[in-house]
């Protein structure tokens, strides 16, 4: 089931994945637009992916651009 929690329905899983991609898009825009925060949106996307799809969570944490934001927060809380 690709890392999905046992209690999550398929609709809930799809909604969390869609919300994760929306947060990922906002985080990517935050890299380009200085007023928009980057890290909170990427952390939210990672959390949504963690609860809905292990594959997507591993992808975002290993990504060459987005991964360091998440890794720095996990290691240093900064």
């Amino acid at each position: 089931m690709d890392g999905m929690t046992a209690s999550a329905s398929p609709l809930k899983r799809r909604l969390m994945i869609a919300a994760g991609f929306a947060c990922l898009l906002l985080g990517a825009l935050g890299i380009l637009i200085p007023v928009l925060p980057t890290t909170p949106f990427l952390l939210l996307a990672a959390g949504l992916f963690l609860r809905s799809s292990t594959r997507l969570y591993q992808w975002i944490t290993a990504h060459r651009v987005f991964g360091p934001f998440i890794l720095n927060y996990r290691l240093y809380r900064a």
Side-chain angles (χ1 to χ4, degrees):
M1 262 215 229
D2 195 11
M4 182 182 73
T5 59
S7 62
S9 68
L11 176 62
K12 184 177 179 182
R13 181 175 182 244
R14 286 186 181 128
L15 288 173
M16 286 193 294
I17 289 173
F21 278 113
C23 291
L24 180 64
L25 177 65
L26 288 171
L29 286 174
I31 293 172
L32 302 173
I33 301 171
V35 178
L36 195 62
T38 301
T39 305
F41 287 118
L42 293 179
L43 290 174
L44 186 55
L48 288 165
F49 288 155
L50 179 64
R51 292 180 180 264
S52 60
S53 171
T54 304
R55 183 174 52 94
L56 288 173
Y57 176 73
Q58 290 173 349
W59 171 78
I60 196 171
T61 54
H63 193 273
R64 68 179 181 88
V65 175
F66 306 128
F69 287 100
I70 298 165
L71 181 64
N72 283 334
Y73 182 79
R74 285 177 56 198
L75 291 177
Y76 308 113
R77 299 284 189 235

